[in-house]
Amino acid sequence: MSLPRTAGAALLVLALASVPVPASAAAAAPAAAEVNYVALGDSYASGTGAGDYSDLPCTRSRNAYPALWAEANDPASFTFAACGGATVPDVLSDQVDELDADTTLVSLSIGGNDSGFASTMLSCRLSTTSACERALAEAGEYVTGELPAELDRLYATVRARAPRAEVVVIGYPYLYKEGGLCLGGLGSAKRTAVNQGSDLLNETIADRAEAAGFTFVDGRPAFAGHEICTSDAWISSTNVHPTAEGHESAYLPAFAAAAGN
């Protein structure tokens, strides 16, 4: 901010500076200028499908909720490390190095790719209902059997590298509206099965985030009424990812509420 250029403005500044500030106001949440924010995760964090990409190989979008939050709050620093297609090992090898003792805020969305999101959705979109359900069952076995330990390892690394950061773990939305017709989309049984898979994944992520002392943000209520097959979908039926509106109207306010800004 530039200094006042006129004497009148200078006097006004001095006058305002003499007004006492209540202790409660002084103790309010830290200004965003004091925040060092690092965004980690997969395509749901990077903004795949949201357009206006700043980094095409990782599909990092200027419309993604981390970029929108940083633009609105102007933190002291912002590192957008999330990358489309990332798994837990990818975050550990390619992203967590961006964290340090000065990091004060971390967002993290991960786990979908580890459980075979892409191949499972391909089975559900192109194969029979029974094939879709088998693919989801296989993914579910990984989610309950192996993913918890993977998340524990990642969360412990995040805490060790950013010991004083507020860590917000973002969950995944329901992809489809259940019940009724879905022209050009999945049949009712498939949609129900996919959403049940989302429940299992979110419950696992939330459980491990809570165990690590992190804040979990549930994407399901954030996108409620705006899933694929609704009249105002915020998830693309083409790539099954949140649209720019989904990031702005669902993920951003949910994350901002958790981050306290």
Side-chain angles (χ1 to χ4, degrees):
M1 180 181 295
S2 60
L3 293 174
R5 295 179 181 276
T6 67
L11 290 173
L12 177 60
V13 170
L14 290 173
L16 291 174
S18 66
V19 177
V21 178
S24 59
E34 301 173 7
V35 174
N36 295 302
Y37 171 35
V38 179
L40 308 175
D42 58 17
S43 55
Y44 276 66
S46 71
T48 299
D52 195 12
Y53 299 110
S54 58
D55 181 294
L56 193 55
C58 276
T59 58
R60 293 189 187 111
S61 171
R62 297 178 183 86
N63 297 322
Y65 72 85
L68 293 175
W69 188 93
E71 181 181 9
N73 291 277
D74 193 23
S77 68
F78 169 51
T79 302
F80 199 179
C83 188
T87 60
V88 169
D90 292 326
V91 176
L92 284 166
S93 63
D94 301 330
Q95 298 184 25
V96 296
D97 285 346
E98 301 294 345
L99 304 173
D100 59 32
D102 293 327
T103 304
T104 60
L105 177 64
V106 177
S107 62
L108 173 59
S109 172
I110 201 69
N113 292 321
D114 300 84
S115 58
F117 171 78
S119 60
T120 299
M121 288 309 305
L122 192 64
S123 293
C124 289
R125 297 178 77 170
L126 300 180
S127 300
T128 63
T129 298
S130 59
C132 172
E133 291 173 343
R134 282 196 302 272
L136 286 163
E138 290 175 6
E141 290 176 2
Y142 177 87
V143 168
T144 57
E146 298 182 50
L147 185 60
E150 290 291 302
L151 292 175
D152 287 347
R153 183 164 66 103
L154 173 59
Y155 293 165
T157 301
V158 169
R159 175 51 70 216
R161 289 180 175 271
R164 67 189 190 97
E166 170 70 15
V167 181
V168 180
V169 176
I170 314 292
Y172 297 92
Y174 284 136
L175 299 178
Y176 293 92
K177 178 192 77 173
E178 292 188 43
L181 295 176
C182 185
L183 298 178
L186 302 183
S188 180
K190 286 183 179 180
R191 281 181 273 140
T192 296
V194 168
N195 285 352
Q196 289 173 344
S198 294
D199 283 334
L200 183 61
L201 179 59
N202 278 295
E203 288 163 8
T204 300
I205 293 171
D207 177 70
R208 302 327 302 155
E210 181 180 357
F214 297 164
T215 300
F216 176 75
V217 171
D218 195 339
R220 291 166 293 183
F223 282 83
H226 298 280
E227 304 89 348
I228 299 170
C229 305
T230 61
S231 59
D232 184 22
W234 293 347
I235 299 173
S236 169
S237 61
T238 303
N239 58 42
V240 204
H241 280 76
T243 61
E245 187 173 8
H247 279 273
E248 181 178 11
S249 299
Y251 267 150
L252 176 61
F255 171 61
N261 294 90

